PDB file of all heavy atoms in Angstrom:
ATOM      1  N   THR A 129      32.585  -9.931  24.719  1.00 94.00           N
ATOM      2  CA  THR A 129      33.864  -9.878  25.433  1.00 94.00           C
ATOM      3  C   THR A 129      34.524  -8.516  25.266  1.00 94.00           C
ATOM      4  O   THR A 129      34.973  -7.900  26.250  1.00 94.00           O
ATOM      5  CB  THR A 129      34.814 -10.974  24.930  1.00 94.00           C
ATOM      6  OG1 THR A 129      34.212 -12.262  25.108  1.00 94.00           O
ATOM      7  CG2 THR A 129      36.133 -10.935  25.674  1.00 94.00           C
ATOM      8  N   ARG A 130      34.580  -8.036  24.036  1.00 95.00           N
ATOM      9  CA  ARG A 130      35.158  -6.717  23.808  1.00 95.00           C
ATOM     10  C   ARG A 130      34.382  -5.623  24.530  1.00 95.00           C
ATOM     11  O   ARG A 130      34.966  -4.711  25.116  1.00 95.00           O
ATOM     12  CB  ARG A 130      35.176  -6.407  22.306  1.00 95.00           C
ATOM     13  CG  ARG A 130      36.195  -7.196  21.491  1.00 95.00           C
ATOM     14  CD  ARG A 130      35.966  -7.001  20.009  1.00 95.00           C
ATOM     15  NE  ARG A 130      36.920  -7.732  19.196  1.00 95.00           N
ATOM     16  CZ  ARG A 130      36.744  -8.002  17.906  1.00 95.00           C
ATOM     17  NH1 ARG A 130      35.625  -7.594  17.290  1.00 95.00           N
ATOM     18  NH2 ARG A 130      37.656  -8.674  17.244  1.00 95.00           N
ATOM     19  N   GLY A 131      33.059  -5.729  24.472  1.00 94.00           N
ATOM     20  CA  GLY A 131      32.238  -4.731  25.127  1.00 94.00           C
ATOM     21  C   GLY A 131      32.480  -4.659  26.615  1.00 94.00           C
ATOM     22  O   GLY A 131      32.602  -3.569  27.194  1.00 94.00           O
ATOM     23  N   LEU A 132      32.562  -5.815  27.264  1.00 95.00           N
ATOM     24  CA  LEU A 132      32.791  -5.851  28.706  1.00 95.00           C
ATOM     25  C   LEU A 132      34.191  -5.370  29.061  1.00 95.00           C
ATOM     26  O   LEU A 132      34.388  -4.674  30.068  1.00 95.00           O
ATOM     27  CB  LEU A 132      32.557  -7.271  29.230  1.00 95.00           C
ATOM     28  CG  LEU A 132      31.115  -7.799  29.132  1.00 95.00           C
ATOM     29  CD1 LEU A 132      31.035  -9.242  29.580  1.00 95.00           C
ATOM     30  CD2 LEU A 132      30.179  -6.926  29.971  1.00 95.00           C
ATOM     31  N   ILE A 133      35.162  -5.718  28.262  1.00 95.00           N
ATOM     32  CA  ILE A 133      36.548  -5.296  28.528  1.00 95.00           C
ATOM     33  C   ILE A 133      36.677  -3.779  28.425  1.00 95.00           C
ATOM     34  O   ILE A 133      37.263  -3.128  29.304  1.00 95.00           O
ATOM     35  CB  ILE A 133      37.530  -5.985  27.564  1.00 95.00           C
ATOM     36  CG1 ILE A 133      37.671  -7.471  27.899  1.00 95.00           C
ATOM     37  CG2 ILE A 133      38.906  -5.293  27.594  1.00 95.00           C
ATOM     38  CD1 ILE A 133      38.478  -8.267  26.886  1.00 95.00           C
ATOM     39  N   PHE A 134      36.111  -3.217  27.362  1.00 97.00           N
ATOM     40  CA  PHE A 134      36.299  -1.788  27.116  1.00 97.00           C
ATOM     41  C   PHE A 134      35.263  -0.915  27.829  1.00 97.00           C
ATOM     42  O   PHE A 134      35.340   0.312  27.758  1.00 97.00           O
ATOM     43  CB  PHE A 134      36.309  -1.501  25.625  1.00 97.00           C
ATOM     44  CG  PHE A 134      37.535  -2.016  24.926  1.00 97.00           C
ATOM     45  CD1 PHE A 134      37.471  -3.108  24.069  1.00 97.00           C
ATOM     46  CD2 PHE A 134      38.777  -1.429  25.152  1.00 97.00           C
ATOM     47  CE1 PHE A 134      38.619  -3.591  23.456  1.00 97.00           C
ATOM     48  CE2 PHE A 134      39.918  -1.907  24.558  1.00 97.00           C
ATOM     49  CZ  PHE A 134      39.850  -3.002  23.698  1.00 97.00           C
ATOM     50  N   ALA A 135      34.306  -1.534  28.535  1.00 96.00           N
ATOM     51  CA  ALA A 135      33.330  -0.752  29.297  1.00 96.00           C
ATOM     52  C   ALA A 135      34.007   0.005  30.429  1.00 96.00           C
ATOM     53  O   ALA A 135      33.653   1.162  30.715  1.00 96.00           O
ATOM     54  CB  ALA A 135      32.241  -1.670  29.848  1.00 96.00           C
ATOM     55  N   LEU A 136      34.990  -0.601  31.076  1.00 96.00           N
ATOM     56  CA  LEU A 136      35.665   0.056  32.198  1.00 96.00           C
ATOM     57  C   LEU A 136      36.422   1.307  31.797  1.00 96.00           C
ATOM     58  O   LEU A 136      36.228   2.375  32.408  1.00 96.00           O
ATOM     59  CB  LEU A 136      36.589  -0.938  32.910  1.00 96.00           C
ATOM     60  CG  LEU A 136      35.887  -2.032  33.733  1.00 96.00           C
ATOM     61  CD1 LEU A 136      36.910  -2.993  34.324  1.00 96.00           C
ATOM     62  CD2 LEU A 136      35.064  -1.394  34.836  1.00 96.00           C
ATOM     63  N   PRO A 137      37.277   1.264  30.764  1.00 96.00           N
ATOM     64  CA  PRO A 137      37.930   2.517  30.351  1.00 96.00           C
ATOM     65  C   PRO A 137      36.942   3.546  29.823  1.00 96.00           C
ATOM     66  O   PRO A 137      37.149   4.752  29.978  1.00 96.00           O
ATOM     67  CB  PRO A 137      38.924   2.080  29.260  1.00 96.00           C
ATOM     68  CG  PRO A 137      38.490   0.716  28.840  1.00 96.00           C
ATOM     69  CD  PRO A 137      37.855   0.104  30.036  1.00 96.00           C
ATOM     70  N   THR A 138      35.841   3.090  29.227  1.00 97.00           N
ATOM     71  CA  THR A 138      34.806   4.011  28.774  1.00 97.00           C
ATOM     72  C   THR A 138      34.187   4.742  29.964  1.00 97.00           C
ATOM     73  O   THR A 138      34.016   5.973  29.938  1.00 97.00           O
ATOM     74  CB  THR A 138      33.692   3.263  28.021  1.00 97.00           C
ATOM     75  OG1 THR A 138      34.231   2.632  26.857  1.00 97.00           O
ATOM     76  CG2 THR A 138      32.588   4.220  27.576  1.00 97.00           C
ATOM     77  N   MET A 139      33.845   4.018  31.009  1.00 96.00           N
ATOM     78  CA  MET A 139      33.257   4.614  32.192  1.00 96.00           C
ATOM     79  C   MET A 139      34.211   5.586  32.884  1.00 96.00           C
ATOM     80  O   MET A 139      33.781   6.622  33.408  1.00 96.00           O
ATOM     81  CB  MET A 139      32.806   3.509  33.161  1.00 96.00           C
ATOM     82  CG  MET A 139      31.674   2.657  32.615  1.00 96.00           C
ATOM     83  SD  MET A 139      31.316   1.179  33.616  1.00 96.00           S
ATOM     84  CE  MET A 139      30.484   1.936  35.013  1.00 96.00           C
ATOM     85  N   PHE A 140      35.488   5.259  32.848  1.00 97.00           N
ATOM     86  CA  PHE A 140      36.481   6.179  33.412  1.00 97.00           C
ATOM     87  C   PHE A 140      36.476   7.489  32.623  1.00 97.00           C
ATOM     88  O   PHE A 140      36.493   8.571  33.191  1.00 97.00           O
ATOM     89  CB  PHE A 140      37.875   5.541  33.365  1.00 97.00           C
ATOM     90  CG  PHE A 140      38.989   6.457  33.791  1.00 97.00           C
ATOM     91  CD1 PHE A 140      39.091   6.878  35.106  1.00 97.00           C
ATOM     92  CD2 PHE A 140      39.925   6.897  32.866  1.00 97.00           C
ATOM     93  CE1 PHE A 140      40.128   7.738  35.509  1.00 97.00           C
ATOM     94  CE2 PHE A 140      40.950   7.752  33.242  1.00 97.00           C
ATOM     95  CZ  PHE A 140      41.046   8.164  34.570  1.00 97.00           C
ATOM     96  N   GLY A 141      36.418   7.378  31.296  1.00 96.00           N
ATOM     97  CA  GLY A 141      36.356   8.575  30.457  1.00 96.00           C
ATOM     98  C   GLY A 141      35.097   9.376  30.705  1.00 96.00           C
ATOM     99  O   GLY A 141      35.141  10.612  30.788  1.00 96.00           O
ATOM    100  N   VAL A 142      33.947   8.688  30.841  1.00 94.00           N
ATOM    101  CA  VAL A 142      32.691   9.374  31.097  1.00 94.00           C
ATOM    102  C   VAL A 142      32.764  10.145  32.413  1.00 94.00           C
ATOM    103  O   VAL A 142      32.297  11.284  32.497  1.00 94.00           O
ATOM    104  CB  VAL A 142      31.513   8.362  31.135  1.00 94.00           C
ATOM    105  CG1 VAL A 142      30.234   9.037  31.643  1.00 94.00           C
ATOM    106  CG2 VAL A 142      31.269   7.788  29.747  1.00 94.00           C
ATOM    107  N   PHE A 143      33.336   9.531  33.424  1.00 95.00           N
ATOM    108  CA  PHE A 143      33.481  10.201  34.725  1.00 95.00           C
ATOM    109  C   PHE A 143      34.276  11.503  34.581  1.00 95.00           C
ATOM    110  O   PHE A 143      33.891  12.545  35.115  1.00 95.00           O
ATOM    111  CB  PHE A 143      34.170   9.271  35.727  1.00 95.00           C
ATOM    112  CG  PHE A 143      34.536   9.939  37.014  1.00 95.00           C
ATOM    113  CD1 PHE A 143      33.570  10.209  37.982  1.00 95.00           C
ATOM    114  CD2 PHE A 143      35.840  10.334  37.257  1.00 95.00           C
ATOM    115  CE1 PHE A 143      33.906  10.844  39.162  1.00 95.00           C
ATOM    116  CE2 PHE A 143      36.187  10.977  38.439  1.00 95.00           C
ATOM    117  CZ  PHE A 143      35.212  11.236  39.400  1.00 95.00           C
ATOM    118  N   LEU A 144      35.379  11.439  33.831  1.00 94.00           N
ATOM    119  CA  LEU A 144      36.190  12.641  33.616  1.00 94.00           C
ATOM    120  C   LEU A 144      35.394  13.706  32.864  1.00 94.00           C
ATOM    121  O   LEU A 144      35.445  14.892  33.191  1.00 94.00           O
ATOM    122  CB  LEU A 144      37.462  12.281  32.841  1.00 94.00           C
ATOM    123  CG  LEU A 144      38.470  11.359  33.539  1.00 94.00           C
ATOM    124  CD1 LEU A 144      39.640  11.086  32.611  1.00 94.00           C
ATOM    125  CD2 LEU A 144      38.959  11.994  34.844  1.00 94.00           C
ATOM    126  N   GLY A 145      34.643  13.263  31.839  1.00 91.00           N
ATOM    127  CA  GLY A 145      33.859  14.204  31.045  1.00 91.00           C
ATOM    128  C   GLY A 145      32.767  14.873  31.850  1.00 91.00           C
ATOM    129  O   GLY A 145      32.473  16.069  31.652  1.00 91.00           O
ATOM    130  N   GLN A 146      32.152  14.132  32.766  1.00 89.00           N
ATOM    131  CA  GLN A 146      31.108  14.714  33.601  1.00 89.00           C
ATOM    132  C   GLN A 146      31.627  15.848  34.480  1.00 89.00           C
ATOM    133  O   GLN A 146      30.902  16.795  34.779  1.00 89.00           O
ATOM    134  CB  GLN A 146      30.485  13.616  34.494  1.00 89.00           C
ATOM    135  CG  GLN A 146      29.570  12.662  33.738  1.00 89.00           C
ATOM    136  CD  GLN A 146      29.030  11.579  34.638  1.00 89.00           C
ATOM    137  OE1 GLN A 146      29.768  10.908  35.347  1.00 89.00           O
ATOM    138  NE2 GLN A 146      27.718  11.403  34.625  1.00 89.00           N
ATOM    139  N   GLN A 147      32.876  15.744  34.880  1.00 89.00           N
ATOM    140  CA  GLN A 147      33.457  16.793  35.716  1.00 89.00           C
ATOM    141  C   GLN A 147      33.639  18.096  34.932  1.00 89.00           C
ATOM    142  O   GLN A 147      33.736  19.179  35.527  1.00 89.00           O
ATOM    143  CB  GLN A 147      34.811  16.340  36.277  1.00 89.00           C
ATOM    144  CG  GLN A 147      34.823  14.982  36.954  1.00 89.00           C
ATOM    145  CD  GLN A 147      33.668  14.779  37.913  1.00 89.00           C
ATOM    146  OE1 GLN A 147      33.485  15.565  38.845  1.00 89.00           O
ATOM    147  NE2 GLN A 147      32.883  13.733  37.685  1.00 89.00           N
ATOM    148  N   LEU A 148      33.660  17.988  33.606  1.00 84.00           N
ATOM    149  CA  LEU A 148      33.845  19.177  32.764  1.00 84.00           C
ATOM    150  C   LEU A 148      32.546  19.889  32.439  1.00 84.00           C
ATOM    151  O   LEU A 148      32.566  21.033  31.981  1.00 84.00           O
ATOM    152  CB  LEU A 148      34.543  18.787  31.448  1.00 84.00           C
ATOM    153  CG  LEU A 148      35.971  18.231  31.562  1.00 84.00           C
ATOM    154  CD1 LEU A 148      36.438  17.747  30.191  1.00 84.00           C
ATOM    155  CD2 LEU A 148      36.922  19.281  32.098  1.00 84.00           C
ATOM    156  N   PHE A 149      31.403  19.200  32.678  1.00 79.00           N
ATOM    157  CA  PHE A 149      30.115  19.801  32.315  1.00 79.00           C
ATOM    158  C   PHE A 149      29.679  20.763  33.409  1.00 79.00           C
ATOM    159  O   PHE A 149      28.910  20.429  34.313  1.00 79.00           O
ATOM    160  CB  PHE A 149      29.045  18.742  32.076  1.00 79.00           C
ATOM    161  CG  PHE A 149      27.776  19.322  31.486  1.00 79.00           C
ATOM    162  CD1 PHE A 149      27.735  19.706  30.158  1.00 79.00           C
ATOM    163  CD2 PHE A 149      26.653  19.510  32.258  1.00 79.00           C
ATOM    164  CE1 PHE A 149      26.578  20.244  29.608  1.00 79.00           C
ATOM    165  CE2 PHE A 149      25.484  20.052  31.734  1.00 79.00           C
ATOM    166  CZ  PHE A 149      25.461  20.427  30.410  1.00 79.00           C
ATOM    167  N   VAL A 150      30.189  21.969  33.332  1.00 77.00           N
ATOM    168  CA  VAL A 150      29.817  23.054  34.235  1.00 77.00           C
ATOM    169  C   VAL A 150      29.254  24.184  33.385  1.00 77.00           C
ATOM    170  O   VAL A 150      29.495  24.249  32.169  1.00 77.00           O
ATOM    171  CB  VAL A 150      31.022  23.539  35.065  1.00 77.00           C
ATOM    172  CG1 VAL A 150      31.449  22.465  36.040  1.00 77.00           C
ATOM    173  CG2 VAL A 150      32.192  23.929  34.160  1.00 77.00           C
ATOM    174  N   GLU A 151      28.509  25.069  33.992  1.00 72.00           N
ATOM    175  CA  GLU A 151      27.784  26.103  33.246  1.00 72.00           C
ATOM    176  C   GLU A 151      28.678  26.943  32.357  1.00 72.00           C
ATOM    177  O   GLU A 151      28.313  27.306  31.242  1.00 72.00           O
ATOM    178  CB  GLU A 151      27.034  26.998  34.234  1.00 72.00           C
ATOM    179  CG  GLU A 151      25.824  26.340  34.870  1.00 72.00           C
ATOM    180  CD  GLU A 151      24.802  25.837  33.852  1.00 72.00           C
ATOM    181  OE1 GLU A 151      24.577  26.527  32.838  1.00 72.00           O
ATOM    182  OE2 GLU A 151      24.250  24.744  34.066  1.00 72.00           O
ATOM    183  N   ARG A 152      29.879  27.273  32.815  1.00 77.00           N
ATOM    184  CA  ARG A 152      30.720  28.157  32.009  1.00 77.00           C
ATOM    185  C   ARG A 152      31.230  27.502  30.730  1.00 77.00           C
ATOM    186  O   ARG A 152      31.681  28.183  29.805  1.00 77.00           O
ATOM    187  CB  ARG A 152      31.890  28.687  32.847  1.00 77.00           C
ATOM    188  CG  ARG A 152      32.946  27.672  33.215  1.00 77.00           C
ATOM    189  CD  ARG A 152      34.083  28.370  33.967  1.00 77.00           C
ATOM    190  NE  ARG A 152      35.184  27.484  34.281  1.00 77.00           N
ATOM    191  CZ  ARG A 152      35.245  26.724  35.356  1.00 77.00           C
ATOM    192  NH1 ARG A 152      34.247  26.722  36.221  1.00 77.00           N
ATOM    193  NH2 ARG A 152      36.295  25.948  35.588  1.00 77.00           N
ATOM    194  N   PHE A 153      31.170  26.154  30.661  1.00 74.00           N
ATOM    195  CA  PHE A 153      31.603  25.445  29.464  1.00 74.00           C
ATOM    196  C   PHE A 153      30.442  24.993  28.585  1.00 74.00           C
ATOM    197  O   PHE A 153      30.650  24.477  27.492  1.00 74.00           O
ATOM    198  CB  PHE A 153      32.433  24.210  29.842  1.00 74.00           C
ATOM    199  CG  PHE A 153      33.770  24.529  30.448  1.00 74.00           C
ATOM    200  CD1 PHE A 153      34.327  23.690  31.393  1.00 74.00           C
ATOM    201  CD2 PHE A 153      34.471  25.664  30.063  1.00 74.00           C
ATOM    202  CE1 PHE A 153      35.551  23.974  31.964  1.00 74.00           C
ATOM    203  CE2 PHE A 153      35.693  25.953  30.617  1.00 74.00           C
ATOM    204  CZ  PHE A 153      36.242  25.116  31.579  1.00 74.00           C
ATOM    205  N   ALA A 154      29.204  25.162  29.045  1.00 71.00           N
ATOM    206  CA  ALA A 154      28.039  24.628  28.337  1.00 71.00           C
ATOM    207  C   ALA A 154      27.917  25.135  26.909  1.00 71.00           C
ATOM    208  O   ALA A 154      27.510  24.398  26.006  1.00 71.00           O
ATOM    209  CB  ALA A 154      26.758  24.947  29.108  1.00 71.00           C
ATOM    210  N   ALA A 155      28.292  26.375  26.660  1.00 76.00           N
ATOM    211  CA  ALA A 155      28.147  26.964  25.325  1.00 76.00           C
ATOM    212  C   ALA A 155      29.150  26.390  24.330  1.00 76.00           C
ATOM    213  O   ALA A 155      28.971  26.527  23.116  1.00 76.00           O
ATOM    214  CB  ALA A 155      28.310  28.468  25.398  1.00 76.00           C
ATOM    215  N   TYR A 156      30.193  25.744  24.828  1.00 78.00           N
ATOM    216  CA  TYR A 156      31.260  25.282  23.945  1.00 78.00           C
ATOM    217  C   TYR A 156      31.175  23.798  23.603  1.00 78.00           C
ATOM    218  O   TYR A 156      31.912  23.332  22.734  1.00 78.00           O
ATOM    219  CB  TYR A 156      32.622  25.563  24.586  1.00 78.00           C
ATOM    220  CG  TYR A 156      32.837  27.004  24.935  1.00 78.00           C
ATOM    221  CD1 TYR A 156      32.779  27.436  26.246  1.00 78.00           C
ATOM    222  CD2 TYR A 156      33.089  27.955  23.934  1.00 78.00           C
ATOM    223  CE1 TYR A 156      32.966  28.786  26.567  1.00 78.00           C
ATOM    224  CE2 TYR A 156      33.276  29.298  24.244  1.00 78.00           C
ATOM    225  CZ  TYR A 156      33.215  29.703  25.569  1.00 78.00           C
ATOM    226  OH  TYR A 156      33.379  31.023  25.888  1.00 78.00           O
ATOM    227  N   TYR A 157      30.331  23.052  24.307  1.00 70.00           N
ATOM    228  CA  TYR A 157      30.398  21.604  24.143  1.00 70.00           C
ATOM    229  C   TYR A 157      29.991  21.135  22.758  1.00 70.00           C
ATOM    230  O   TYR A 157      30.596  20.247  22.174  1.00 70.00           O
ATOM    231  CB  TYR A 157      29.586  20.909  25.235  1.00 70.00           C
ATOM    232  CG  TYR A 157      28.149  20.656  24.933  1.00 70.00           C
ATOM    233  CD1 TYR A 157      27.728  19.447  24.401  1.00 70.00           C
ATOM    234  CD2 TYR A 157      27.177  21.626  25.188  1.00 70.00           C
ATOM    235  CE1 TYR A 157      26.399  19.216  24.138  1.00 70.00           C
ATOM    236  CE2 TYR A 157      25.844  21.398  24.911  1.00 70.00           C
ATOM    237  CZ  TYR A 157      25.461  20.181  24.395  1.00 70.00           C
ATOM    238  OH  TYR A 157      24.132  19.951  24.129  1.00 70.00           O
ATOM    239  N   ARG A 158      28.949  21.745  22.142  1.00 70.00           N
ATOM    240  CA  ARG A 158      28.476  21.286  20.847  1.00 70.00           C
ATOM    241  C   ARG A 158      29.512  21.524  19.744  1.00 70.00           C
ATOM    242  O   ARG A 158      29.876  20.595  19.031  1.00 70.00           O
ATOM    243  CB  ARG A 158      27.146  21.944  20.492  1.00 70.00           C
ATOM    244  CG  ARG A 158      26.573  21.459  19.164  1.00 70.00           C
ATOM    245  CD  ARG A 158      25.357  22.274  18.737  1.00 70.00           C
ATOM    246  NE  ARG A 158      24.197  22.010  19.563  1.00 70.00           N
ATOM    247  CZ  ARG A 158      23.521  22.969  20.185  1.00 70.00           C
ATOM    248  NH1 ARG A 158      23.915  24.221  20.107  1.00 70.00           N
ATOM    249  NH2 ARG A 158      22.460  22.659  20.907  1.00 70.00           N
ATOM    250  N   PRO A 159      30.012  22.760  19.573  1.00 79.00           N
ATOM    251  CA  PRO A 159      31.013  22.958  18.516  1.00 79.00           C
ATOM    252  C   PRO A 159      32.278  22.138  18.713  1.00 79.00           C
ATOM    253  O   PRO A 159      32.871  21.658  17.742  1.00 79.00           O
ATOM    254  CB  PRO A 159      31.313  24.468  18.565  1.00 79.00           C
ATOM    255  CG  PRO A 159      30.764  24.932  19.876  1.00 79.00           C
ATOM    256  CD  PRO A 159      29.640  24.019  20.211  1.00 79.00           C
ATOM    257  N   PHE A 160      32.685  21.939  19.967  1.00 77.00           N
ATOM    258  CA  PHE A 160      33.889  21.122  20.224  1.00 77.00           C
ATOM    259  C   PHE A 160      33.697  19.705  19.689  1.00 77.00           C
ATOM    260  O   PHE A 160      34.545  19.172  18.972  1.00 77.00           O
ATOM    261  CB  PHE A 160      34.158  21.086  21.725  1.00 77.00           C
ATOM    262  CG  PHE A 160      35.151  20.031  22.126  1.00 77.00           C
ATOM    263  CD1 PHE A 160      36.510  20.215  21.916  1.00 77.00           C
ATOM    264  CD2 PHE A 160      34.714  18.833  22.693  1.00 77.00           C
ATOM    265  CE1 PHE A 160      37.421  19.233  22.280  1.00 77.00           C
ATOM    266  CE2 PHE A 160      35.622  17.842  23.056  1.00 77.00           C
ATOM    267  CZ  PHE A 160      36.978  18.053  22.848  1.00 77.00           C
ATOM    268  N   CYS A 161      32.561  19.073  20.034  1.00 71.00           N
ATOM    269  CA  CYS A 161      32.304  17.699  19.593  1.00 71.00           C
ATOM    270  C   CYS A 161      32.199  17.604  18.083  1.00 71.00           C
ATOM    271  O   CYS A 161      32.715  16.665  17.477  1.00 71.00           O
ATOM    272  CB  CYS A 161      31.014  17.195  20.227  1.00 71.00           C
ATOM    273  SG  CYS A 161      31.073  17.005  22.016  1.00 71.00           S
ATOM    274  N   LEU A 162      31.517  18.565  17.475  1.00 75.00           N
ATOM    275  CA  LEU A 162      31.276  18.490  16.046  1.00 75.00           C
ATOM    276  C   LEU A 162      32.543  18.713  15.220  1.00 75.00           C
ATOM    277  O   LEU A 162      32.762  18.046  14.205  1.00 75.00           O
ATOM    278  CB  LEU A 162      30.205  19.505  15.645  1.00 75.00           C
ATOM    279  CG  LEU A 162      28.815  19.242  16.256  1.00 75.00           C
ATOM    280  CD1 LEU A 162      27.850  20.349  15.888  1.00 75.00           C
ATOM    281  CD2 LEU A 162      28.277  17.887  15.819  1.00 75.00           C
ATOM    282  N   VAL A 163      33.379  19.636  15.651  1.00 81.00           N
ATOM    283  CA  VAL A 163      34.657  19.850  14.953  1.00 81.00           C
ATOM    284  C   VAL A 163      35.517  18.589  15.054  1.00 81.00           C
ATOM    285  O   VAL A 163      36.146  18.159  14.080  1.00 81.00           O
ATOM    286  CB  VAL A 163      35.401  21.065  15.530  1.00 81.00           C
ATOM    287  CG1 VAL A 163      36.835  21.117  14.999  1.00 81.00           C
ATOM    288  CG2 VAL A 163      34.677  22.355  15.182  1.00 81.00           C
TER     289      VAL A 163
END
């Protein structure tokens, strides 16, 4: 139940994150996540 409920906001977040994955940001994604 929790998984199905929170899948929708998760997918919304993933959609937003995909829009940020462009070449000029590629070098920054790893350190950002790890910090």
Side-chain angles (χ1 to χ4, degrees):
T129 301
R130 288 170 179 162
L132 294 175
I133 289 173
F134 290 109
L136 288 177
T138 299
M139 294 170 74
F140 174 68
V142 170
F143 172 77
L144 295 178
Q146 286 178 309
Q147 309 314 303
L148 296 173
F149 189 74
V150 292
E151 288 302 321
R152 70 176 184 274
F153 291 148
Y156 303 105
Y157 89 94
R158 183 189 289 125
F160 166 77
C161 294
L162 296 176
V163 169

